[in-house]
Amino acid sequence: MASDDGEYRVTGCIGQGAFGKVVLLENSAGDQTLRDRISGRVDPNNFTTETIFTEDEELRLVEHTEDSARLGYGFSNTAMQQMAGELAHHLGKRATDKPLSNCWLYGFLKRWESRISTLKPSALDSNRAKHSTPEIVAKYFDNLEVAIAEYGLQERPDCIYNLDETGISPEHRPPNIIAPIKEKAQAVTSPRSATTTLIACASASGHHLPPYFVFKGKRSNDNLSKELTPGAVVTMSETGWSTTATFKDYLENHFLKYVNRGDGSQPVLLLLDGHSTHTSQEMVKWARDRHIHLFCLPAHTSHVLQPLDVGVFGPFKRFYYSECASYMKANQGKIVTKYEIAGIACKAYLKALCHWNIVSAFRKTGVHPLNKNAVPMEKLLPCESFRDETPMLKMQSIRAGKEAVDEYLRAKSESTSTTAPCKCKCGKQNPTTPKPKPGGKLLTSDAYIEALEIYDAQKKTKAPSSSRTNLPQTSPKQSTSGLIINRTDNSESESDIDDTEVCCVCERFTPINVDKRPHLKIVNWGQCDECGHWVHLGFCHAMSVLRRGYSFLCPHCS
């Protein structure tokens, strides 16, 4: 008998089966696995495969795999086989660097099953990975501790609230079903539609407020309020997202209505994200006058610091999808529309925002009881890839202990060259104070309100240029192509550029000769890598396009 691996020959008979004799085959190369098992030379219940690496070499491979996974760049099965093959070739154990076989991979995972396994990771946005640093989290907890002590809320969990928003849609994720084998099962779902915003709020004592829905549209429709739970509210906005007016209406007519504070003088601490609708000067002063103290979470850290995000919205989405599937099954031939999602979401809301889920979420995020070490360190390790040139070396130092970390940081500081001073010859200084960032701060504090007042006063005292009416009054923001353009963006911005930033050449927001080029729709901006000032591309500089990674200098520095 012939095969791809060589010639096989019959070496014996082990019995009579329904289809004839059962024989033993032996490969000409000496493969006698079946014979060894039958003869007892190999115990199938206690079988260990040989490995190409020594135990110490495999240990290093395991540690490298663990460090990569903690940084957010773990190895898949295929990538692990490829890396192991390259390592074996590098060590002189193989003639080629081809990937190792599945047998080696399964044996490797079996030998180290107490430390590593093949898992499905959760997606982590790069902005969240970059900004969730131990320093930012530590500063947030320090400020939170001061705010809680200032208003005497150490033993008042009923006065510490968290407010957050999430989007819902008739389109849902179907659950697993029992179906015929060897067939691709299908589940009917509703088509995609406009997103509706759900505003949820709960206290550290386990109390939750009724849901507040924001639908897309201009006029309200009674059909949107079908089967709402008691206290639930439906309102409208042009985009379906929360606005400053919507947020104020929520606090004034919904939040204050369900927060029991006696005569209203009891301070309430409200944790929320830094969306622009939450941080306006008017909104902050209004809240402080009513003893509602807004505390803003650091930007891009809601996945580790926001109680509702950490322990409530996950179960809510699962319950919501389940309720949508139940509705579709009970009403076959119909779909979930915007007129049903509020009622369906209310059922999921009551299940998800139970007392235990809420209390557990506040405890897990370290809000109440206050615990500065509540966030596990492994949740913050992905930031090292963005702020360290050698993150793997730092991971090895962290594993080795405190002394190794100190040695690593000392060596890194000695090897890092100091930044050269600014060589810009224009002598232009930043004329205004940048807008204060709300992340990790108490927005209703005197210091933050004073900073907002100074910022707004500077904007008003600066004389508006007649040419500024030609373009939107927005700050330059970096686009994905590496250019700086004028555009409207309602998302949270991390840019330090102020609305009054002007070109360092013409000292104007809008180019002087922009009227002579009516075909231009946007004005591109470029930031000098040397002095950090901005320049009109194509107007005040010969270049009109900047490529990604290109080193750009303004006329003063070049």
Side-chain angles (χ1 to χ4, degrees):
M1 181 182 300
S3 72
D4 294 339
D5 296 330
E7 295 292 331
Y8 286 88
R9 59 187 177 85
V10 178
T11 59
C13 178
I14 61 174
Q16 182 77 26
F19 300 97
K21 293 182 178 181
V22 180
V23 299
L24 291 176
L25 298 178
E26 180 179 343
N27 187 277
S28 58
D31 184 4
Q32 303 186 55
T33 303
L34 185 57
R35 171 183 286 276
D36 291 340
R37 294 198 179 201
I38 295 299
S39 62
R41 286 194 293 267
V42 175
D43 182 5
N45 297 321
N46 187 22
F47 178 70
T48 58
T49 59
E50 294 183 1
T51 177
I52 194 171
F53 302 110
T54 65
E55 183 177 357
D56 185 63
E57 290 168 347
E58 280 203 350
L59 177 60
R60 298 293 180 270
L61 197 59
V62 169
E63 292 176 346
H64 182 75
T65 303
E66 292 174 336
D67 293 343
S68 298
R70 288 165 181 158
L71 287 172
Y73 301 93
F75 290 94
S76 63
N77 285 356
T78 303
M80 173 59 70
Q81 292 172 261
Q82 178 66 42
M83 182 180 66
E86 295 174 354
L87 176 62
H89 176 66
H90 177 74
L91 296 177
K93 298 177 180 289
R94 298 184 76 206
T96 66
D97 61 352
K98 292 183 179 180
L100 296 188
S101 65
N102 289 337
C103 293
W104 174 86
L105 176 66
Y106 299 148
F108 173 73
L109 295 177
K110 178 69 175 178
R111 287 189 294 275
W112 300 95
E113 61 182 353
S114 61
R115 295 187 59 170
I116 58 175
S117 179
T118 302
L119 305 172
K120 182 176 179 58
S122 58
L124 178 63
D125 184 83
S126 59
N127 283 325
R128 291 187 169 187
K130 181 178 181 180
H131 293 92
S132 299
T133 66
E135 294 80 10
I136 290 178
V137 172
K139 185 176 180 181
Y140 156 77
F141 277 113
D142 290 341
N143 293 339
L144 180 62
E145 182 179 25
V146 172
I148 292 177
E150 180 178 354
Y151 302 112
L153 303 179
Q154 296 92 333
E155 303 299 330
R156 294 297 305 270
D158 57 311
C159 293
I160 302 177
Y161 283 82
N162 175 220
L163 179 147
D164 197 12
E165 304 162 354
T166 187
I168 56 175
S169 171
E171 184 184 24
H172 61 278
R173 185 186 309 149
N176 295 339
I177 62 172
I178 301 174
I181 60 175
K182 298 182 180 180
E183 291 185 15
K184 182 65 176 179
Q186 301 181 79
V188 179
T189 63
S190 301
R192 183 174 300 177
S193 182
T195 300
T196 299
T197 299
L198 166 65
I199 303 180
C201 188
S203 72
S205 63
H207 168 67
H208 71 266
L209 275 63
Y212 187 95
F213 298 94
V214 183
F215 282 85
K216 181 179 181 180
K218 295 183 178 180
R219 291 180 297 179
S220 180
N221 190 327
D222 293 339
N223 291 328
L224 297 174
S225 304
K226 293 189 302 183
E227 299 184 5
L228 292 183
T229 53
V233 174
V234 169
T235 188
M236 312 295 294
S237 76
E238 293 187 3
T239 60
W241 297 103
S242 178
T243 62
T244 302
T246 303
F247 180 62
K248 184 176 180 181
D249 177 72
Y250 178 88
L251 291 183
E252 188 172 8
N253 300 317
H254 196 72
F255 183 80
L256 292 178
K257 180 179 179 180
Y258 292 102
V259 176
N260 298 320
R261 298 190 299 162
D263 59 356
S265 60
Q266 170 63 41
V268 171
L269 188 65
L270 181 59
L271 306 179
L272 36 69
D273 58 44
H275 194 273
S276 57
T277 59
H278 305 156
T279 59
S280 65
Q281 182 179 348
E282 177 187 0
M283 191 73 257
V284 170
K285 287 186 175 181
W286 180 91
R288 188 175 70 167
D289 292 342
R290 288 155 181 79
H291 304 286
I292 302 174
H293 300 282
L294 308 180
F295 194 97
C296 182
L297 298 169
H300 308 297
T301 61
S302 61
H303 64 295
V304 292
L305 296 179
Q306 177 124 261
L308 292 180
D309 258 4
V310 171
V312 174
F313 280 164
F316 166 75
K317 287 297 179 69
R318 291 193 292 271
F319 286 129
Y320 174 73
Y321 293 148
S322 177
E323 291 292 338
C324 286
S326 298
Y327 177 88
M328 296 285 292
K329 182 173 178 56
N331 300 274
Q332 297 182 16
K334 296 183 180 180
I335 62 173
V336 178
T337 67
K338 65 179 181 179
Y339 301 108
E340 287 83 30
I341 61 174
I344 293 175
C346 283
K347 297 178 182 178
Y349 189 88
L350 292 179
K351 293 180 180 179
L353 274 81
C354 63
H355 179 273
W356 175 248
N357 276 357
I358 297 172
V359 172
S360 177
F362 275 87
R363 184 181 67 252
K364 198 172 183 179
T365 53
V367 176
H368 186 85
L370 187 66
N371 180 10
K372 297 183 179 182
N373 300 317
V375 180
M377 180 55 66
E378 56 266 22
K379 292 285 187 180
L380 309 178
L381 290 178
C383 70
E384 301 298 342
S385 299
F386 295 89
R387 63 175 185 170
D388 199 299
E389 296 178 356
T390 56
M392 294 302 295
L393 293 179
K394 187 167 185 178
M395 293 295 295
Q396 295 173 8
S397 300
I398 292 175
R399 191 187 330 112
K402 182 178 183 303
E403 295 181 357
V405 174
D406 295 339
E407 180 63 27
Y408 167 80
L409 295 177
R410 188 182 307 110
K412 184 176 179 60
S413 62
E414 294 174 355
S415 62
T416 303
S417 59
T418 57
T419 304
C422 178
K423 299 179 181 179
C424 181
K425 301 176 183 179
C426 64
K428 178 178 177 290
Q429 301 296 329
N430 190 5
T432 60
T433 302
K435 184 176 181 179
K437 292 185 178 181
K441 299 178 182 177
L442 182 65
L443 305 187
T444 50
S445 64
D446 294 336
Y448 185 80
I449 292 179
E450 182 180 357
L452 275 180
E453 292 175 345
I454 294 175
Y455 172 75
D456 290 341
Q458 289 176 153
K459 289 173 59 178
K460 294 178 181 179
T461 55
K462 187 172 180 65
S465 172
S466 59
S467 63
R468 291 194 178 195
T469 59
N470 298 332
L471 293 175
Q473 296 290 324
T474 56
S475 60
K477 298 182 179 68
Q478 189 169 9
S479 69
T480 56
S481 62
L483 301 180
I484 304 301
I485 61 174
N486 273 333
R487 63 183 175 88
T488 302
D489 190 351
N490 293 327
S491 62
E492 185 178 7
S493 173
E494 297 297 326
S495 175
D496 289 330
I497 305 169
D498 187 67
D499 289 28
T500 55
E501 179 71 31
V502 295
C503 174
C504 69
V505 177
C506 66
E507 297 187 354
R508 297 167 63 93
F509 182 80
T510 304
I512 299 175
N513 55 350
V514 69
D515 296 334
K516 298 180 181 179
R517 302 186 186 184
H519 59 279
L520 290 179
K521 301 300 182 183
I522 61 175
V523 177
N524 292 333
W525 292 73
Q527 186 179 25
C528 178
D529 294 331
E530 191 72 28
C531 65
H533 296 151
W534 297 90
V535 184
H536 293 133
L537 298 179
F539 293 93
C540 302
H541 197 280
M543 298 185 63
S544 58
V545 176
L546 295 182
R547 301 297 180 188
R548 187 181 299 276
Y550 179 81
S551 179
F552 175 73
L553 298 177
C554 69
H556 300 289
C557 297
S558 60

